Amino acid sequence: MNLFGARQKQLLSFLTANAERETLDYVLQGMKEVLGDEMPEEDAVRAYLQDPDEPISLSTEQQIVALDKLLECAEVNLRTLCDLIRYQQLKDARVVNSVEEFLRLVRPDAARDIQEEDAD
């Protein structure tokens, strides 16, 4: 394998590990908010998310919350991806020239919130 191929594989491995960590953090944070004192150990949640068919120590409620938070995270990521594609299409068509214009066009309420935060 050439050097470029090896570095590309290494980058992909890093990005995958980073995405898995971000997803696990999102799920754990959401589970803590919902479960409070009934929060399982991080290793148990990780094992469950990596292979939900294997026997695990999570209760049914903990499994439901973990999957709900995992699906919520996937929904957020899908929405972000769709917005990025939509932005690129509109920019290529010269409908918008900046992210700010895109936000004003697609999400006027979100754009107003951002402007108010910037003003503070």
Side-chain angles (χ1 to χ4, degrees):
M1 184 184 308
N2 64 21
L3 182 60
F4 178 74
R7 293 213 176 170
Q8 187 177 24
K9 189 174 182 178
Q10 188 178 27
L11 176 62
L12 181 59
S13 177
F14 170 77
L15 291 172
T16 301
N18 191 42
E20 287 175 358
R21 184 72 227 170
E22 286 179 3
T23 301
L24 181 62
D25 289 345
Y26 185 94
V27 170
L28 290 171
Q29 181 180 352
M31 288 180 74
K32 284 178 189 172
E33 291 172 6
V34 173
L35 297 172
D37 293 339
E38 300 297 318
M39 180 66 191
E41 294 292 320
E42 179 179 325
D43 291 339
V45 174
R46 180 185 299 110
Y48 174 67
L49 293 176
Q50 289 176 342
D51 195 355
D53 294 330
E54 288 293 313
I56 41 92
S57 60
L58 298 182
S59 69
T60 303
E61 179 186 15
Q62 291 168 336
Q63 291 177 38
I64 291 169
V65 173
L67 279 181
D68 182 60
K69 293 303 171 184
L70 181 62
L71 291 171
E72 187 178 286
C73 183
E75 182 181 355
V76 168
N77 288 333
L78 178 62
R79 180 63 188 210
T80 302
L81 178 61
C82 290
D83 283 346
L84 289 171
I85 292 169
R86 196 174 288 120
Y87 168 69
Q88 188 62 50
Q89 292 289 322
L90 291 172
K91 188 172 181 183
D92 289 347
R94 294 192 166 99
V95 174
V96 297
N97 294 315
S98 67
V99 173
E100 291 79 16
E101 286 180 43
F102 173 75
L103 288 175
R104 281 194 302 269
L105 179 68
V106 178
R107 296 210 179 108
D109 293 335
R112 241 181 312 209
D113 294 343
I114 291 171
Q115 288 174 346
E116 289 173 5
E117 288 177 9
D118 289 344
D120 292 339

